[in-house]
Amino acid sequence: MPLFIMNIRTAWSDYFPSNPNFNLNSQTYYSRQTHSSTAVHISNCLFTSFTSSGHGGALYSTSTYLLVESTSFFSCKTSSGHGGAIYFSNGQCVLYGICGYDCCTTSNSHNGHFAYISVYNSVSSKNYVNYSSISRCVNVNAWYKLYLCYGNVRCPSVNMSMNKCGGRPFCCIPSTSSNSITCSLIYSSFTDNNAAQHTCIYLWQYSGDIFEIKSCSIIRNTQGSLGSQGTIATNGNLYINDSCILENNSTYTFYQGNSNCRVFISNCTVDSISCNLNFIILSTATKSFILALNHISSLNYHSKLPQLPFLY
């Protein structure tokens, strides 16, 4: 009999209108679940130890609204599709309090070891991953551990650690807007990830979007092709504030792919400020401190985020 640990939960109305028309609550699954209802709410569930074929090894959804919270995915895989644990393509998606461990696509031609999420192509569409931990997802040939495409991407308090892939463990390609931040990483930790080719954090669009990394730890990430792109790659205006970026092994810590955009850094600890072009230091750090991220407790799984140094 599985032990369900009940967490303080979000409310559906925190993110989406009306009410869900399909609910999954406090269940354990040993096979892939597919959902196309308009509004799907999954909470306090466990998906564990199976391999599926097709997109989404554990969960496939084309809903208008999807909220998955306080749910764990252990050793979920797909043999021939995107998204080892989760595949979503359609409206808006929020993952809240998720634990992912040992999930991947075993096909070298597919991406998104843990999740492949593509929402409506609009800055009003939610594409959120909140208070979640993803670790030890491994396939050195396929790309992207967490693939977030379109919408307004928000990732507060996300832990991505000890993952391995072909390249770009974290990939964000938000909807286009030159007037607002379309991808925000706040109080998050990216540590000990390995890319066989290049880049730990990939923030990309095609019209000079605005990206934000704030109060994050980006530490000990490695890549095989040292001179190919960098630890953090972007082609928009990227603002990095109050963060700790140390012991990453690429030639470029920062890579700017757009000659019309800049990488701005403020009040950070960085052991290398190497950038291929357009790098501006707005202010230097005056002191350091340790910021402990709160641990995440989900269905019979306690994920303690590492206590890593930050600057403030």
Side-chain angles (χ1 to χ4, degrees), residues 22 80 89 137 145 154-155 168 177 180 264 280 299 301 306:
F22 190 89
S80 58
S89 178
C137 297
K145 296 302 175 184
R154 292 287 181 265
C155 296
R168 301 169 183 164
S177 172
S180 61
F264 301 91
I280 298 174
L299 172 60
Y301 177 61

Side-chain angles (χ1 to χ4, degrees), residues 192-271:
D192 297 300
N193 297 290
N194 175 262
Q197 294 190 38
H198 53 77
T199 308
C200 173
I201 298 175
Y202 184 75
L203 310 174
W204 214 258
Q205 250 301 351
Y206 299 98
S207 63
D209 284 38
I210 303 173
F211 302 100
E212 174 187 62
I213 296 175
K214 185 176 181 180
S215 299
C216 290
S217 284
I218 303 166
I219 298 177
R220 295 187 304 272
N221 299 287
T222 60
Q223 63 184 55
S225 301
L226 298 183
S228 180
Q229 297 191 4
T231 299
I232 304 170
T234 185
N235 72 339
N237 287 304
L238 171 60
Y239 293 83
I240 306 175
N241 304 312
D242 307 322
S243 295
C244 185
I245 306 170
L246 296 171
E247 300 181 33
N248 303 288
N249 79 327
S250 58
T251 300
Y252 297 115
T253 303
F254 312 98
Y255 179 87
Q256 176 56 258
N258 185 340
S259 61
N260 296 317
C261 295
R262 304 287 185 270
V263 175
F264 301 91
I265 186 167
S266 176
N267 198 39
C268 294
T269 291
V270 182
D271 55 7

Side-chain angles (χ1 to χ4, degrees), residues 82-99:
H82 297 304
I86 301 170
Y87 178 90
F88 177 86
S89 178
N90 195 19
Q92 302 184 56
C93 178
V94 175
L95 307 181
Y96 184 100
I98 301 301
C99 289

Side-chain angles (χ1 to χ4, degrees), residues 2-5 46 72 74 298-302:
L3 172 65
F4 294 99
I5 299 174
L46 171 65
S72 296
F74 296 160
S298 190
L299 172 60
N300 69 4
Y301 177 61
H302 295 274

